Amino acid sequence: MSRNRIHSEQQMVRRFTRTFIVTHWLYASSFLALLVTGLPMYTEFFDWLYPVLGGPATARQLHRIFAVVFVVPFLILLVFDRASLKNWLKQILSWKKHDFQFFAAFPKEFFGFHTDMPKQDFFNAGEKLNSILQMFSFLLLILSGVFMWFPKYFPKWLQVWSYPIHDIGFGLAIAVVVGHIYLSIGHPSSRVSIKGMTKGYVPMKYVEEHHGRWADELRRQGK
Amino acid sequence: MPEFVKLVDVTKCTGCRACMVACKNWNDLPAERQEFQGSIQSHKKTTAHTWNVVTYTEYEQEDGSLDWLFRHSACLHCKEAACVKVCPENAIGYTKFGSVVIDSEKCIGCGYCVNNCPFKVVELAEYKDEQNDKTYYKAQKCTLCTNRLEKNMQPACAVTCPTDAIVFGEQEAMLKQAEARLAEIKPLYPNANIYNPPGVGGTHAVYVLPEKPSVFGLPEDPRVPLSATIWKDYAQPIGKALFGVTTMAVIGAFISNSLFRRHENLEQVENEGGSEQ
Ligand code: SF4
Ligand code: SF4
């Protein structure tokens, strides 16, 4: 039984491009690195990380390096895979009835009960919300981060407002990330979607169950 | 333990700068050369190595006569100090005497306190680590001579001041003395006031001022910055709560999924080669 044959029987559908996948993981790993280097400043509870990281000064230095890596994925998409970026943005900005209905059905599904979920787009409403919140917190973090990094070039009121804004951006991002990670690798009904972010392909059956409108579209295109 | 107050009666100050010298001396702070300020004032403001500066203000009164106003400026040791609030390392704290003191061991030199002090008192000192040639920073400011208070001594500036423009004692007595002095000078200085700003919960350094605070370079209504309050009292607790909520939801979902979930698992379908189709 060759795996490939199974895949063709099972019918896998391309979901994400290679570039999109690489940028996702680059983003994810720099987020993690920023988290680790920033946590001891966020709360004393993680002060033990300072010695691990080589002291506060080094931690702050590393935080800045990873901050640069953090913006690279966006630039890569912008230059090398504008199609994916465009599709992504277009999708997450389109909100129709079935998107709002998603949230009524989602809690039941999330806790493992059967629900009648309205057909979803290429990105379901949860993924759309995740993307929007991530982008929003990304903007907050980067902007406030720049003001804090280069205090000489910005007025003081921007500095003092950057502290809470950086904090809010982080709080938002981390809360969302927990759910995102669980849904993509832990939750029994959606965890197969991780394949879209590793190999780029997802099973057609998953598409039909979770992204009905996209499945319809694929069928219309005769794929 | 009663709280203490340093009472600075600027009407008695002769601008002799003995307090500056005493401070440098006791705290072993290096001399700091600065560019000529265009006046007799030695330094523009307090720095990380100069914890108190006597300011010299040439002030024209309403009748056109000139007043030369001196003020011993240093950390005010706020009761609700912005620097304490924002420090991410809990490196600044209140002592039992009421003074606000920085723990250099804990300070990581982030400068948040510098940006938030409503009086622009605290600054970062730069140090060089001889061993690995790295520079690092520590916030430094007046300690109200807390190490002297612990030995039952008064702050060096208060002891040194030849005219008793700086005196030190129990809070109640000092505030009473301030009121009495205010009553004395009011006829001569109608704008006279006691500077013990409520926006920072009052201070442990209280001034008797013959003119409005702004004349002496003090903010009229200093407050803990709104951004600091939003940050520490709202953004941070809410962020932590949000993180807790999503984490709990995920744990709950994990448990309830393993307990109640009946219908088949997509992964299995795939690995079994779609046998159910
Ligand atoms: S005057 Fe500034 S440095 Fe001193 S206690 Fe108040 S906020 Fe802190
Ligand atoms: S510079 Fe030091 S004392 Fe000031 S806020 Fe940062 S860690 Fe705290």
Side-chain angles (χ1 to χ4, degrees):
Chain A
M1 254 208 321
S2 98
R3 223 180 140 69
N4 275 336
R5 220 193 76 237
I6 297 170
H7 277 192
S8 58
E9 264 175 31
Q10 166 71 25
Q11 241 212 356
M12 300 294 277
V13 184
R14 167 133 239 158
R15 187 155 190 225
F16 297 120
T17 63
R18 182 132 296 240
T19 318
F20 202 77
I21 295 170
V22 168
T23 51
H24 171 271
W25 291 112
L26 191 60
Y27 187 83
S29 35
S30 53
F31 182 87
L32 192 76
L34 284 164
L35 176 72
V36 170
T37 49
L39 262 185
M41 248 187 124
Y42 186 66
T43 144
E44 299 82 56
F45 190 70
F46 285 99
D47 270 3
W48 53 269
L49 274 172
Y50 275 143
V52 180
L53 295 165
T58 323
R60 286 156 64 80
Q61 209 61 49
L62 288 172
H63 197 73
R64 284 168 183 171
I65 293 169
F66 293 128
V68 176
V69 181
F70 197 47
V71 289
V72 168
F74 171 69
L75 300 178
I76 294 180
L77 275 189
L78 200 63
V79 177
F80 296 106
D81 196 357
R82 219 168 297 178
S84 291
L85 183 64
K86 238 165 113 184
N87 178 45
W88 186 27
L89 289 176
K90 211 175 88 199
Q91 283 263 331
I92 66 170
L93 292 176
S94 113
W95 285 81
K96 304 223 176 73
K97 205 160 147 218
H98 61 266
D99 290 306
F100 295 106
Q101 284 165 346
F102 173 93
F103 294 104
F106 180 71
K108 270 179 97 182
E109 152 126 23
F110 186 63
F111 289 105
F113 302 98
H114 182 75
T115 73
D116 292 313
M117 180 68 80
K119 283 185 173 184
Q120 295 291 305
D121 291 325
F122 180 89
F123 287 111
N124 68 33
E127 291 169 329
K128 289 182 186 181
L129 183 69
N130 174 56
S131 299
I132 288 174
L133 289 176
Q134 281 299 338
M135 283 179 190
F136 180 61
S137 58
F138 174 77
L139 280 179
L140 292 184
L141 286 166
I142 292 300
L143 277 177
S144 56
V146 167
F147 298 147
M148 283 149 78
W149 189 348
F150 304 103
K152 279 195 202 91
Y153 304 106
F154 301 102
K156 210 178 93 174
W157 66 267
L158 268 181
Q159 311 285 319
V160 295
W161 278 102
S162 289
Y163 306 146
I165 287 171
H166 211 70
D167 210 297
I168 291 167
F170 166 70
L172 208 59
I174 190 69
V176 174
V177 158
V178 174
H180 180 62
I181 292 177
Y182 173 67
L183 283 168
S184 55
I185 58 176
H187 195 279
S189 113
S190 60
R191 67 180 163 216
V192 64
S193 70
I194 185 77
K195 294 206 155 67
M197 250 329 155
T198 50
K199 306 201 180 92
Y201 291 89
V202 285
M204 190 59 198
K205 191 163 179 341
Y206 160 81
V207 176
E208 264 154 18
E209 281 185 4
H210 289 258
H211 303 275
R213 293 167 60 95
W214 179 34
D216 293 347
E217 206 179 301
L218 285 174
R219 243 175 266 120
R220 237 179 292 127
Q221 292 168 355
K223 282 187 191 167
Chain B
M1 174 63 102
E3 284 191 12
F4 291 93
V5 155
K6 174 173 86 170
L7 181 61
V8 183
D9 182 349
V10 304
T11 62
K12 289 183 181 166
C13 176
T14 61
C16 73
R17 286 195 272 241
C19 54
M20 289 183 71
V21 177
C23 178
K24 287 265 176 189
N25 190 12
W26 173 258
N27 294 301
D28 210 4
L29 297 169
E32 202 174 15
R33 280 167 195 272
Q34 281 188 357
E35 290 272 304
F36 179 54
Q37 308 288 334
S39 89
I40 196 171
Q41 189 171 318
S42 58
H43 300 74
K44 208 162 161 212
K45 63 181 279 296
T46 52
T47 72
H49 298 303
T50 304
W51 294 350
N52 89 57
V53 168
V54 177
T55 62
Y56 294 70
T57 310
E58 285 166 29
Y59 180 65
E60 201 182 311
Q61 280 189 318
E62 267 147 39
D63 63 6
S65 63
L66 203 69
D67 247 354
W68 209 15
L69 304 173
F70 314 130
R71 177 172 74 93
H72 159 87
S73 73
C75 172
L76 282 87
H77 299 274
C78 312
K79 289 186 186 168
E80 284 157 29
C83 59
V84 175
K85 189 174 199 105
V86 298
C87 176
E89 301 297 320
N90 282 350
I92 318 185
Y94 307 100
T95 70
K96 60 182 178 189
F97 308 102
S99 53
V100 174
V101 176
I102 301 170
D103 179 348
S104 287
E105 290 286 312
K106 285 194 191 164
C107 172
I108 59 166
C110 66
Y112 292 180
C113 54
V114 178
N115 276 337
N116 277 281
C117 168
F119 306 98
K120 301 188 177 72
V121 161
V122 56
E123 290 214 335
L124 294 181
E126 191 182 306
Y127 301 95
K128 260 230 149 47
D129 191 331
E130 301 288 329
Q131 269 151 17
N132 53 18
D133 206 41
K134 264 192 195 157
T135 48
Y136 60 98
Y137 299 87
K138 301 270 179 197
Q140 295 284 8
K141 67 167 193 69
C142 155
T143 66
L144 203 62
C145 283
T146 297
N147 51 9
R148 289 172 64 93
L149 302 183
E150 278 159 356
K151 296 271 180 302
N152 265 327
M153 296 190 289
Q154 298 209 345
C157 54
V159 172
T160 307
C161 179
T163 62
D164 278 348
I166 308 174
V167 289
F168 186 84
E170 283 183 20
Q171 174 167 275
E172 218 166 297
M174 289 297 109
L175 294 181
K176 221 178 263 166
Q177 190 171 329
E179 292 292 346
R181 179 62 177 167
L182 181 67
E184 259 171 43
I185 62 172
K186 230 7 196 209
L188 199 58
Y189 298 103
N191 295 334
N193 63 90
I194 294 171
Y195 193 71
N196 186 15
V200 292
T203 53
H204 287 105
V206 172
Y207 287 97
V208 176
L209 301 174
E211 294 294 344
K212 284 202 316 213
S214 52
V215 170
F216 289 89
L218 285 165
E220 291 289 341
D221 185 17
R223 290 178 179 278
V224 174
L226 179 64
S227 56
T229 309
I230 288 182
W231 176 19
K232 291 291 166 174
D233 293 350
Y234 297 95
Q236 213 161 61
I238 291 174
K240 284 177 186 167
L242 211 61
F243 179 63
V245 166
T246 48
T247 309
M248 288 315 291
V250 161
I251 293 172
F254 177 74
I255 294 170
S256 88
N257 271 297
S258 35
L259 287 181
F260 305 121
R261 195 168 181 89
R262 304 241 179 278
H263 49 282
E264 94 289 3
N265 188 323
L266 271 173
E267 261 175 317
Q268 276 165 14
V269 174
E270 195 217 336
N271 292 339
E272 286 157 13
S275 53
E276 285 159 41
Q277 280 176 332

